[in-house]
């Protein structure tokens, strides 16, 4: 009888192992830094009220793009004194502004993201606070003072008059800042931070903060993205990623001002030559700052130009970012200080194109990780990417007119697959590209 009971239990355990409960969600694991494809959420384009719930309702569509980390712009209470309704003017680091929802709404968003195997990071503003942040009255010594007048100043040299500059010489303020960051990692389970104006905050502070965040996270991984371009973001601060600002500037110069495509090669080299091994530059065609002035479909001439620029941005070295709204080709500038409704059903073909590109990015490690081998040309950005498994040739026409380029000798007459339609192609001595056309070609294995 005892043996039969033990045998029955053993069989039940085997059945459970082979057929786990269908409702059980797989444990979430943050992707490796080089494998991240990020999506930036500006809550103010999702809904005028309780927008965190609106974001959660769209996680299926966002995740279906192929992105695996969501970056949420600041959702904290916004300062009123001298304020301009900027989400980067924070009056409380441990709360959520009513327009965005409640702390429970945010915890639900974290849960939904993780259920969809997507990480979530919060925007963190450590450089300054609102003028009506409680710290200002309780601890004026935590802020930077003008040497002559002994009054608290706004961050310089910027003209950000709606915020007060924090003093990182003050140890107590540093402790309070780290304590606030720990709240979101420990209490809400987020997977890291995108740190605003990271270059304006001492790198040794970031080092201490990041070390303590990682310790508090335990076995969970976190990702830290610096809005900055200083090398000490990495060498001292301990960040995983920072901004490819210079590469974006070169994109504009090449696509919009007629500069040679070789400028992109130089910009890519300059950014990665100084980058420590294992670190990544975030590459983008837009973000909340740039789309305030002009969106990609306008900045890069038209829709085709925006997509050519995107391929030229994310495939040389990875670090892909999509700013929520660009996947549906939103044309007008988006002032993130106010609610701007976006039609998420617009331009379904463009959504599918971004989805296809990020799919290629995810499915082919060579496209995001392999070192690029460039073939210099004035009008076409052409480069090869090879790893142990695959070899790709990417060509992007940076002009709004047909252009032709000589095919590298080692690619002539080879059997290739066009990754756009999975059709076989063979290249001759030259290849013509239509205005803003791009090609992603994969060499067939023998």
């Amino acid at each position: 009888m005892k043996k039969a009971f033990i045998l029955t239990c053993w069989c039940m355990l085997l059945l459970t192992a082979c057929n786990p409960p269908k409702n059980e969600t797989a444990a979430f694991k943050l992707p490796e830094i080089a494998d991240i494809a990020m999506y930036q959420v500006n809550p103010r384009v999702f809904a005028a009220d309780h927008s965190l719930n609106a974001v959660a309702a769209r996680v299926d569509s966002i995740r279906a793009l192929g992105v695996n980390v969501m970056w949420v712009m600041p959702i904290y209470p916004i300062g009123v004194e001298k304020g301009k309704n900027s989400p980067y003017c924070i009056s409380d680091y441990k709360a959520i502004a009513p327009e965005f929802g409640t702390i429970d709404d945010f915890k639900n968003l974290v849960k939904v993201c993780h259920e969809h195997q997507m990480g979530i990071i919060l925007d963190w503003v450590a450089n300054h606070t609102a003028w009506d942040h409680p710290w200002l009255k309780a601890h004026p010594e935590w802020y930077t003072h003008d040497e002559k007048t002994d009054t608290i100043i706004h961050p310089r040299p910027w003209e950000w008059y709606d915020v007060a500059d924090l003093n990182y010489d003050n140890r107590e303020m540093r402790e309070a800042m780290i304590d606030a960051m720990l709240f979101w990692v420990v209490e809400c389970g987020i997977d890291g931070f995108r740190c605003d104006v990271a270059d304006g905050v001492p790198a040794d502070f970031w080092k201490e903060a990041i070390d303590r965040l990682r310790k508090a996270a335990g076995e969970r991984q976190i990702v830290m993205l610096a809005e900055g371009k200083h090398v000490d973001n990495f060498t001292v601060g301990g960040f995983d990623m920072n901004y490819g600002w210079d590469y974006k500037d070169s994109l504009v110069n090449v696509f919009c001002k007629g500069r040679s495509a070789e400028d992109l090669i130089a910009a890519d080299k300059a950014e990665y030559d100084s980058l420590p091994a294992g670190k990544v530059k975030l590459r983008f065609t837009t973000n909340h700052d740039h789309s305030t002035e002009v969106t990609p479909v306008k900045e890069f001439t038209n829709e085709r130009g925006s997509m050519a620029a995107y391929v030229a941005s994310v495939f040389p070295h990875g670090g892909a970012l999509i700013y929520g709204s660009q996947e549906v080709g939103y044309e007008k500038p988006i002032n993130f200080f106010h609610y701007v409704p976006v039609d998420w059903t617009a331009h379904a073909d463009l959504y599918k194109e971004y989805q296809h590109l990020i799919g290629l990015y995810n499915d082919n490690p060579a496209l995001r990780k392999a070192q690029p081998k460039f073939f210099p040309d004035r009008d076409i950005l052409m480069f090869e990417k090879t790893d142990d498994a695959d070899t790709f040739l990417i060509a992007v026409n940076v002009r709004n007119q047909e252009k032709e380029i000589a095919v590298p000798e080692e690619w002539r007459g080879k059997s290739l697959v066009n990754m756009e339609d999975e059709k076989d192609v063979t290249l001759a001595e030259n290849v013509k590209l239509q205005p803003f056309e791009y090609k992603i070609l994969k060499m067939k294995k023998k």
Side-chain angles (χ1 to χ4, degrees), residues 313-354:
S313 175
V314 306
F315 283 104
H317 258 115
L321 173 72
I322 294 178
Y323 174 54
S325 69
Q326 78 176 90
E327 76 269 31
V328 292
Y330 193 85
E331 294 186 356
K332 297 178 181 178
I334 295 176
N335 185 338
F336 62 88
F337 287 33
H338 305 285
Y339 169 58
V340 178
V342 167
D343 180 4
W344 299 105
T345 66
H347 300 286
D349 55 339
L350 197 65
Y351 173 95
K352 289 179 180 178
E353 188 171 358
Y354 276 108

Side-chain angles (χ1 to χ4, degrees), residues 287-302:
N287 53 41
H288 65 285
D289 285 317
H290 288 178
S291 278
T292 298
E293 300 175 359
V294 61
T295 55
V297 291
K298 293 294 185 181
E299 182 166 35
F300 297 104
T301 306
N302 53 34

Side-chain angles (χ1 to χ4, degrees), residues 193-250:
F193 293 97
R194 175 267 186 189
C195 297
D196 188 62
V197 200
D199 290 347
V201 174
D204 69 312
F205 166 78
W206 292 126
K207 166 65 175 171
E208 181 180 4
I210 291 171
D211 284 350
R212 288 172 61 178
L213 290 171
R214 292 198 161 121
K215 182 178 180 180
E219 294 183 359
R220 290 196 300 123
Q221 297 297 309
I222 62 170
V223 59
M224 298 296 294
L225 164 63
E227 186 212 15
K229 59 181 183 179
H230 292 173
V231 70
D232 65 5
N233 295 155
F234 303 117
T235 56
V236 178
F239 280 98
D240 303 297
M241 309 174 73
N242 75 356
Y243 269 43
W245 282 124
D246 293 339
Y247 194 83
K248 169 61 196 295
D249 289 343
S250 289

